[in-house]
Amino acid sequence: QRRVHGGIHLHLNIMGKPKVAAPESLYVTEQPYTAEHGEPFKRGGKKDISNGPVSKRGCTDCLFLILFIVFWGGMAYVASLGLKNGDPDRLTHMYDSNGKGCGLEAPYGYGSAFPVLYWPNPLELNEAVCVDACPSAYGAAYSCATTYSFSGCVLPGYESTTAFGRLCLPFGSASANAANITEGIGGQQLQNWIGDLKTAWAIVPIIAGIALLIGLIFMLLLKYFAGFIVWCCILGTIGFTAAVGYLCKRRVDQIDNNEIVSTDQNRQSLFYLSYIFYGLAGLLVLITLCMYSRIRLAIAIMKCAAQFVRDVWTVLFVPFFIFLITAGFYAYWVYMALYIFSSGTVETGSGSPFATVKLDERLEYAFLYHIFGLFWTNAFLVALNYIIIAGAASIWYFSPYEGDRKVPQGAVRKSIYRAFRYHLGSLAFGSLLIATVQFVRFILSYMKSKLKATGKEPSKPVKIVLCMVDCCLACFERFLKFISKNAYIQIALTGHKFCRAAKDAFMLILRNALRFAAVDKIGDMFLFLGRLVISLGAAGAGYAGLVHYKYYKENLTSPIFPAVVGFAVAWVIGSSFMSVYGMAADTILQCFAADEEMNKKKRGGAEHAPPVLRDFLDMYGGDEKKGCCRS
């Protein structure tokens, strides 16, 4: 039975003595509610989510959705200008010593009859000619462009091979004699990398499959060993910091005993460093003791995130679909950027096989518009990923249990519907704020690079001001990303507009500051650890296959580049996996805090808490302020 007697809960057990639980006054969040802390969640109010995310909602921030659509109309117009006036072949083809492009039609080149660039004399890189085909052997005949200023194709050809379909690179016995070419254009190493990747292309999808498998295994480990992993990382960090301090102090003792020779300045530096690291280790111990219960809560939240992924496994497809859409957008953006950029005036330097492009003022503005579209659309797709995962996680949290699982019906489908039906405007608004700051930072970087290119170095005061502005903008960008991410969770929960949701999220975080700080830092540690384990494990397995498989041992110049490409692919997959955990953990914590506020007088103040969180509440009775020193 459970009764209330004088504000104290009595748990009566037939076989044992009455157990006194904490008074109800303890079942509150970390700070008392005041005006500056915002309005808490309440049953029956506008922020009543006691039965799950608000189902009756309307379209939010429609003006910004219209603005986003109009902006994309401008993107289409800029792309049409590029398609009309540009030609990416002007950027990708090689140019001879007369500034004519090999394989380009007149007036830019000699036509398709002479598609590749060749150096008749490997020792003279300033004398290059467009030829019909690369000579395959020493003394082989070849045809070159008749308008070439060099005195005909009189030198015998050396053994060469076509690289990238654009130029002739020395091959076989000619490689040593013509090394000047590959060193001059940096082509040999790049050619080796491309050749190795072409030979070992099959290892990349294998590494991707291994990364998926490791991600699933890591999910199981996270569910059962999250606490062990966290405490190992925390104790390892404290131990490492103390060990560095000990090594510095030991070095000082060796200097004092004349075991090693060193200057007084080095000894003094090591002496101060030893105590600095000892002090950091002690500070970490104190922080760990004071934050003990919050760390336990963060561990419980990460376990809940693993349970969410187990129960709603279809959510793992969300980041992959968003990734495919993002990859398609990047491909489109790069394709159109080449057309827009190549619309300018193509210039070739004397003796250089590569072209440069000069843009007029109109094209510069068009290209900057295209760049801003990259920032805005990328931030919009990230926001879409966030709100879909947040919606699914919030539906899961407030769903009832069936056996040992929560079984929300169509959580991902409902979340996708609500995001597209009601909240695209809010996503456009939040992503616009982030894109604006990113674009301003890009403009500052562009201005600094232009100053360096012209040889006009800014004065030291100007450099300091630019550095300070860039630092402030970087901090502001991180702040906007943090607020926007939590605002999307509130939008998924309550259906409010972006500004209202951002305010509610900020106030909820303010009322539970230490909880969110612990979960955020431990969550970051888990996300990084997960990415690293998945990427290194998959890439390491792929590298082992490249090293031990006979075919690759005989045909690769080096297994490193294919393994690096595999690592990059595994990192993307690991990031997709861990982004689900990170967003789910943040969403579950907000749901948990709101659940507590709405149910302060009910068992621990969190009616819908999963068993992992319920165990935490039963252990601490809602009083998290005493750390490991609680009585």
Side-chain angles (χ1 to χ4, degrees), residues 231-398:
W231 289 116
C232 283
C233 291
I234 292 174
L235 296 177
T237 303
I238 295 173
F240 175 79
T241 307
V244 173
Y246 169 77
L247 291 175
C248 292
K249 186 64 171 63
R250 186 170 181 271
R251 195 75 169 175
V252 171
D253 294 339
Q254 289 176 335
I255 295 173
D256 293 340
N257 296 329
N258 296 322
E259 296 179 17
I260 57 175
V261 178
S262 180
T263 63
D264 291 339
Q265 185 177 2
N266 286 340
R267 181 200 175 281
Q268 192 174 15
S269 298
L270 289 170
F271 178 80
Y272 288 126
L273 279 175
S274 64
Y275 283 99
I276 288 173
F277 279 102
Y278 279 143
L280 286 175
L283 182 62
L284 288 173
V285 171
L286 291 176
I287 292 174
T288 302
L289 293 175
C290 294
M291 296 285 290
Y292 179 78
S293 60
R294 274 86 179 190
I295 294 172
R296 294 291 301 268
L297 174 62
I299 293 170
I301 292 291
M302 296 308 297
K303 289 182 177 180
C304 285
Q307 290 179 4
F308 160 69
V309 175
R310 179 201 65 180
D311 296 344
V312 191
W313 59 270
T314 53
V315 76
L316 292 173
F317 291 105
V318 174
F320 286 107
F321 280 119
I322 296 296
F323 170 75
L324 292 176
I325 295 172
T326 304
F329 165 70
Y330 280 175
Y332 164 82
W333 189 90
V334 171
Y335 184 74
M336 290 304 170
L338 289 174
Y339 271 97
I340 297 168
F341 192 70
S342 63
S343 298
T345 304
V346 177
E347 299 176 347
T348 56
S350 177
S352 173
F354 305 106
T356 58
V357 178
K358 184 177 181 180
L359 300 178
D360 58 27
E361 185 177 358
R362 173 171 166 267
L363 284 175
E364 279 189 347
Y365 283 122
F367 198 68
L368 289 175
Y369 187 92
H370 194 63
I371 291 174
F372 185 79
L374 172 66
F375 291 135
W376 194 359
T377 306
N378 181 74
F380 181 85
L381 292 173
V382 171
L384 183 62
N385 182 55
Y386 282 160
I387 199 170
I388 292 175
I389 296 174
S394 59
I395 292 172
W396 173 84
Y397 180 89
F398 289 99

Side-chain angles (χ1 to χ4, degrees), residues 1-14 16-24 27 601 603:
Q1 288 183 326
R2 184 177 180 176
R3 299 178 182 177
V4 176
H5 179 68
I8 302 294
H9 292 293
L10 297 179
H11 300 271
L12 301 181
N13 193 312
I14 296 175
K17 297 180 179 179
K19 183 173 65 174
V20 181
E24 291 178 1
Y27 297 144
K601 296 183 179 181
R603 190 186 172 201

Side-chain angles (χ1 to χ4, degrees), residues 212 309 315-324 385 389 527 531 534 569-583:
L212 288 172
V309 175
V315 76
L316 292 173
F317 291 105
V318 174
F320 286 107
F321 280 119
I322 296 296
F323 170 75
L324 292 176
N385 182 55
I389 296 174
L527 296 182
R531 294 189 188 104
I534 293 172
V569 172
W571 183 269
V572 171
I573 293 173
S575 298
S576 298
F577 254 103
M578 301 315 296
S579 70
V580 176
Y581 287 109
M583 195 62 189

